[in-house]
């Protein structure tokens, strides 16, 4: 099984030969490039780390939602201040993880 990457949208699939149609963007098989062994290994090796970054983004989003609920409840100024810090810090964490994933994409690790 080889890895094939669509040169239009970047979708990657495992297949024996290039798919007839890209399931993501609809272009034909002529737009699929077979990844070589080094490129394929890089992609597989990065899969676990990419999944961790995606999980961190999701957890940070949950933190932001929880803090927003806390702010809405408006119990006291001390609580509100903590929730505001959580929102700011969780947003920064999300941006860090997104930037790392964007870097992985540029390096063919996604
Ligand atoms: Fe595509």
């Amino acid at each position: 099984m080889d890895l094939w990457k669509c040169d239009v949208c970047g979708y990657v699939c495992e297949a024996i030969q290039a798919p007839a149609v890209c399931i993501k963007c609809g272009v034909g098989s002529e737009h699929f490039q077979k990844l070589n062994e080094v490129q394929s290994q890089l992609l597989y090796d990065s899969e676990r780390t990419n999944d961790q970054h995606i999980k961190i983004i999701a957890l940070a989003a949950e933190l932001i939602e929880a803090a927003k609920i806390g702010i809405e409840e408006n119990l006291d100024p001390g609580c509100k201040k903590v929730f505001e810090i959580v929102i700011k810090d969780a947003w920064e964490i999300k941006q860090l993880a997104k930037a790392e994933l964007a870097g992985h994409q540029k390096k063919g690790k996604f």
Side-chain angles (χ1 to χ4, degrees), residues 76-110:
D76 70 69
C79 289
K80 186 178 178 194
K81 184 178 178 185
V82 169
F83 293 137
E84 288 170 349
I85 291 168
V86 167
I87 289 171
K88 178 184 170 297
D89 289 353
W91 190 84
E92 285 178 5
I93 289 167
K94 278 192 352 179
Q95 295 310 112
L96 284 168
K98 287 182 198 177
E100 191 62 22
L101 287 174
H104 288 191
Q105 285 180 311
K106 285 179 189 166
K107 296 174 187 168
K109 298 162 92 179
F110 201 82

Side-chain angles (χ1 to χ4, degrees), residues 6-11 22-27 31-32:
C6 175
D7 65 12
V8 173
C9 72
Y11 172 74
C22 177
I23 63 168
K24 170 74 171 67
C25 73
V27 297
H31 284 281
F32 276 89

Side-chain angles (χ1 to χ4, degrees), residues 1-4 11-17 44:
M1 200 71 84
D2 293 310
L3 288 178
W4 298 85
Y11 172 74
V12 175
C13 65
E14 290 178 316
I16 295 168
Q17 61 186 27
Y44 284 128

Side-chain angles (χ1 to χ4, degrees), residues 64-77:
I64 290 169
E65 288 309 308
K68 283 180 179 175
I69 291 168
I71 288 173
E72 285 171 14
E73 289 174 356
N74 198 23
L75 291 176
D76 70 69

